[in-house]
Amino acid sequence: MYQLTLQQFTGPIEKLLELIEEKKLPVAELSLAEVTADFLNYLKTIKEVEPRILADFVVVASRLLLIKSKSLLPNLELTEEEERGIKDLEERLRRYQAFKPAINLFKKTWEQKGYSVSRPLFHGRPPVFYPPKDLDVKILHSAVNSIFETLKQLSPEVQTIELSAISLEEKIKEIIKRLESGIQQFGKLTKEKSRSEVIVLFIALLHLLRDQIIKAEQKQGFSDIIIEKHGSSK
Amino acid sequence: MDHPNNQNIIGAIEAVLFVYGEPMEIKRIAKILKISESKIKEVLQQLEQEFSIENRGLKLIFSDSPAGERVQLATKPEFVSIIESIIKEESKDNLTPATLETLSLIAYLGPLSRAQIDFYRGVNSSFILRALLMRGLVERFPAPKKANIYLYQPSFDLLKYLGISKIEELPEYERYKSQIPSTK
Amino acid sequence: MDHPNNQNIIGAIEAVLFVYGEPMEIKRIAKILKISESKIKEVLQQLEQEFSIENRGLKLIFSDSPAGERVQLATKPEFVSIIESIIKEESKDNLTPATLETLSLIAYLGPLSRAQIDFYRGVNSSFILRALLMRGLVERFPAPKKANIYLYQPSFDLLKYLGISKIEELPEYERYKSQIPSTK
């Protein structure tokens, strides 16, 4: 019943807001840069418990990384789309922050002891056989067939989500391996990768940076990032 | 009840009889409300009087049983034709997508529990199951070894109406029956 | 009805809602009783007032739908402990964080499309919505003029669980409702 574990997680917006509020920061670009590392750490825990929702968290993480990079590299020029992405994240956080007290009010109301009970349809009346006019075996057959078709379509949806939740750990290992094999440009690492893979690779890169496993350098905005293992040749 | 007065005892009795639907022993009402039987009888009289006012659509029906006097909440007789017209109208409903979907699931994969039907349909099926029961299209029986769980299957009348003598005669019955998707 | 006055219309509505049990469109009640919709609405208000008296155990619950306003008869929440001793209701368990998040959004801001809910939560909500539909806590309707888009809103069962008569009774409802969500 993976749906049950799935339900233990709120969305990334809620999580991000929680991290910001924990540090008593306002919802602003600088605060987002501040909590990036915490968010990435949380990402790691989800990945272990519920990989299926990782994909949605990765999208938010990639925006955070952009913000973080911008704060670290003041010269970094962002595209219009990227700027819009950051503004959009801030806007969502503000909205969520404004709505959040309502969640608690709802919870309190739900937890109140009393509730109402109604009666089922025609309670206590005996059944009267009343078949629908145009019902026959053919119609039943085609109805059951289309239900099975719909159910088949449901399963791939689950698979796609799993596929897109690319393992962060795998990517970290990949970077280390590639570095060992001599590749030093981020551009080469990401060659021919899907968009979401590039994002995960970049997150992995930042992880390695934070844990001081690697050094990275970008000569100027949009130029390739040069990566080196710390204490190289180890 | 904590501080019973005649007023909220009346309300409580009305609520209990409303939900229960069937005739209920006065003894049992007394036990549920933790009030003496004589007090319940007194309050029931008061309630009966209130129902007699024109703007009420309900009334109390008293009956005797070996276990003692019973009381039931029911509609006043003057509304019988209105009630019959609703029942008739509700049954006239033609084959809606929900009806067809639920009925075909029960026919091909039954006996099924409500939870299983909910899973296949992706929505709650309590109302539609109740409607199918009322129209005599399906019947239910308690699931073996599981408390409060019912299993639904096609009614005998439905098979007859479809012109088949057993459910296995449905087209491709085995094919669907054998690949029941997991309810995981 | 032949000589309708407010008094016996009240009684008739009470009888109809009692027998039908499920939420009923006001439009349909008007059709059954052959009385104008506005008259039914007026009388329902009167009935609601009468239910508010202490000695009544029942109340009315209201909710809108694309087909118009609906109304259902149910017990007052304060009698829940007595009711629980005679029927086994599905327990009102604690809500998981994701369920609570999604349900609050739908309750305060609904009707909402899945895209709107996703926008707020920043996560794909299809599994959670499916689970909520299956539990019958939310209901959905096709969005007007948009193919394949559904709008989600609180169900009557949710209102009953919350012990409120209409969604507007949620604490500080108006304040949050005015934060109209963007579809982006």
Side-chain angles (χ1 to χ4, degrees):
Chain A
M1 290 295 279
Y2 73 81
Q3 288 193 28
L4 286 183
T5 45
L6 201 65
Q7 291 183 10
Q8 296 308 321
F9 295 90
T10 55
I13 302 291
E14 153 71 25
K15 187 64 208 178
L16 191 52
L17 186 62
E18 194 188 307
L19 293 173
I20 293 171
E21 286 179 344
E22 259 170 30
K23 297 203 162 160
K24 298 195 168 57
L25 297 168
V27 173
E29 213 176 297
L30 273 177
S31 319
L32 290 174
E34 196 110 337
V35 297
T36 302
D38 298 329
F39 192 80
L40 292 180
N41 269 335
Y42 180 70
L43 204 69
K44 228 168 129 184
T45 62
I46 300 180
K47 195 209 85 200
E48 280 153 19
V49 188
E50 192 42 82
R52 286 168 194 85
I53 56 169
L54 187 60
D56 294 303
F57 278 80
V58 167
V59 173
V60 171
S62 69
R63 293 219 170 125
L64 285 179
L65 289 167
L66 212 56
I67 293 167
K68 184 81 183 172
S69 324
K70 200 177 143 195
S71 75
L72 292 174
L73 310 162
N75 299 333
L76 184 68
E77 292 244 352
L78 299 186
T79 65
E80 228 174 88
E81 197 196 333
E82 287 165 338
E83 290 284 9
R84 229 181 303 131
I86 293 173
K87 286 278 160 274
D88 172 73
L89 185 59
E90 280 181 52
E91 163 70 15
R92 284 172 177 224
L93 280 166
R94 267 190 217 106
R95 257 177 207 285
Y96 201 97
Q97 192 173 40
F99 183 73
K100 211 173 161 184
I103 299 180
N104 284 322
L105 290 173
F106 182 88
K107 189 166 182 255
K108 269 194 205 134
T109 315
W110 174 272
E111 284 166 357
Q112 273 169 13
K113 209 177 126 276
Y115 57 86
S116 294
V117 177
S118 59
R119 286 159 57 92
L121 180 73
F122 299 131
H123 191 30
R125 306 244 156 197
V128 179
F129 185 60
Y130 222 122
K133 252 192 241 106
D134 20 9
L135 179 67
D136 57 32
V137 285
K138 256 200 222 147
I139 289 177
L140 280 181
H141 182 222
S142 75
V144 81
N145 188 50
S146 64
I147 294 169
F148 271 73
E149 286 304 313
T150 316
L151 284 172
K152 261 188 228 153
Q153 282 164 11
L154 255 178
S155 331
E157 193 182 324
V158 178
Q159 284 162 14
T160 329
I161 292 173
E162 278 179 67
L163 265 181
S164 60
I166 300 149
S167 155
L168 190 61
E169 203 129 3
E170 251 169 53
K171 292 296 158 193
I172 293 178
K173 282 186 192 136
E174 188 180 326
I175 293 179
I176 296 177
K177 215 175 114 198
R178 296 275 186 106
L179 288 176
E180 278 165 355
S181 71
I183 293 180
Q184 287 191 326
Q185 286 105 343
F186 189 67
K188 273 196 188 159
L189 278 172
T190 56
K191 223 170 139 188
E192 287 171 21
K193 301 272 185 189
S194 73
R195 216 184 137 74
S196 52
E197 262 187 294
V198 173
I199 293 168
V200 181
L201 264 172
F202 192 54
I203 299 173
L205 186 75
L206 272 128
H207 256 280
L208 292 169
L209 265 176
R210 197 198 51 212
D211 298 344
Q212 302 204 324
I213 296 167
I214 58 165
K215 283 190 293 192
E217 195 182 359
Q218 191 176 30
K219 301 268 187 217
Q220 57 198 149
F222 291 118
S223 73
D224 209 344
I225 304 169
I226 308 298
I227 317 160
E228 234 183 295
K229 265 188 94 174
H230 251 288
S232 256
S233 82
K234 185 185 118 190
Chain B
M1 282 175 13
D2 297 337
H3 306 288
N5 62 47
N6 276 11
Q7 292 311 309
N8 60 27
I9 298 174
I10 291 191
I13 293 180
E14 187 182 38
V16 165
L17 293 177
F18 172 85
V19 170
Y20 194 68
E22 319 282 322
M24 195 176 216
E25 284 146 30
I26 290 174
K27 215 183 284 172
R28 186 163 171 210
I29 303 176
K31 220 175 120 194
I32 291 167
L33 301 191
K34 301 188 181 82
I35 295 166
S36 74
E37 233 179 293
S38 60
K39 181 78 187 169
I40 297 285
K41 279 186 185 165
E42 178 199 318
V43 173
L44 277 171
Q45 258 175 25
Q46 204 181 325
L47 183 57
E48 194 177 19
Q49 198 137 41
E50 288 184 16
F51 278 136
S52 68
I53 298 168
E54 199 188 10
N55 70 359
R56 298 301 312 263
L58 308 178
K59 61 177 283 194
L60 293 176
I61 298 174
F62 291 91
S63 60
D64 262 321
S65 86
E69 201 180 4
R70 294 182 306 177
V71 60
Q72 179 181 18
L73 195 56
T75 53
K76 283 185 180 166
E78 58 253 49
F79 299 114
V80 74
S81 66
I82 296 171
I83 306 295
E84 271 166 11
S85 71
I86 310 172
I87 297 180
K88 216 165 134 191
E89 194 200 70
E90 187 78 10
S91 314
K92 228 172 33 200
D93 126 80
N94 285 319
L95 217 41
T96 63
T99 307
L100 184 57
E101 208 174 84
T102 313
L103 203 52
S104 69
L105 280 169
I106 295 173
Y108 273 89
L109 309 179
L112 289 175
S113 69
R114 200 199 83 198
Q116 285 171 309
I117 298 166
D118 288 347
F119 174 81
Y120 292 128
R121 300 187 58 224
V123 291
N124 188 278
S125 304
S126 359
F127 173 74
I128 195 77
L129 283 172
R130 180 82 201 144
L132 292 176
L133 281 171
M134 282 305 297
R135 295 175 74 176
L137 299 170
V138 302
E139 50 191 29
R140 66 174 197 183
F141 57 92
K145 290 180 200 165
K146 278 182 193 163
N148 299 321
I149 295 206
Y150 287 97
L151 297 179
Y152 294 81
Q153 65 180 21
S155 71
F156 188 64
D157 281 338
L158 177 66
L159 297 188
K160 257 199 327 209
Y161 181 77
L162 292 172
I164 56 179
S165 53
K166 51 180 193 288
I167 202 69
E168 289 80 2
E169 286 173 24
L170 283 173
E172 295 193 277
Y173 177 81
E174 284 308 327
R175 180 178 154 210
Y176 292 106
K177 183 74 176 178
S178 63
Q179 30 160 308
I180 296 183
S182 93
T183 26
K184 187 174 68 147
Chain C
M1 282 175 20
D2 295 339
H3 306 290
N5 62 47
N6 277 11
Q7 291 312 309
N8 58 26
I9 299 175
I10 289 192
I13 292 179
E14 189 181 39
V16 164
L17 292 177
F18 175 84
V19 169
Y20 192 67
E22 295 284 333
M24 199 173 218
E25 281 150 27
I26 288 175
K27 214 183 280 173
R28 191 168 164 202
I29 302 175
K31 223 176 111 195
I32 292 165
L33 300 187
K34 301 187 181 80
I35 295 166
S36 76
E37 233 180 289
S38 59
K39 184 76 190 170
I40 299 283
K41 279 188 185 165
E42 179 198 315
V43 173
L44 276 170
Q45 258 176 25
Q46 206 179 322
L47 183 55
E48 196 177 18
Q49 198 139 38
E50 288 185 16
F51 279 138
S52 68
I53 297 167
E54 198 191 9
N55 70 357
R56 300 300 313 263
L58 307 178
K59 64 183 282 195
L60 294 175
I61 296 175
F62 293 92
S63 173
D64 250 326
S65 85
E69 203 181 359
R70 294 164 299 169
V71 59
Q72 183 177 31
L73 195 55
T75 57
K76 283 184 183 167
E78 55 259 43
F79 296 115
V80 69
S81 55
I82 302 168
I83 302 295
E84 275 176 339
S85 62
I86 52 164
I87 52 152
K88 280 154 209 114
E89 267 292 294
E90 277 171 57
S91 60
K92 189 166 111 175
D93 12 296
N94 286 332
L95 299 171
T96 62
T99 310
L100 182 64
E101 196 182 26
T102 313
L103 214 44
S104 313
L105 283 166
I106 296 173
Y108 275 94
L109 307 180
L112 290 177
S113 68
R114 203 198 88 194
Q116 288 173 312
I117 297 163
D118 287 354
F119 179 78
Y120 259 91
R121 302 185 59 225
V123 70
N124 184 311
S125 305
S126 44
F127 285 115
I128 295 289
L129 285 172
R130 192 178 150 90
L132 288 174
L133 281 172
M134 277 165 58
R135 279 178 75 180
L137 294 177
V138 302
E139 54 183 12
R140 64 177 194 186
F141 296 103
K145 291 177 199 166
K146 280 182 193 161
N148 298 320
I149 296 211
Y150 286 100
L151 296 180
Y152 296 82
Q153 70 173 33
S155 69
F156 272 84
D157 279 351
L158 180 59
L159 298 181
K160 283 182 275 172
Y161 271 137
L162 295 171
I164 59 180
S165 308
K166 36 174 113 39
I167 201 64
E168 290 81 1
E169 283 179 15
L170 276 175
E172 298 185 63
Y173 178 82
E174 288 306 328
R175 182 177 152 200
Y176 292 101
K177 179 68 181 181
S178 60
Q179 302 178 13
I180 299 155
S182 121
T183 13
K184 201 184 67 158

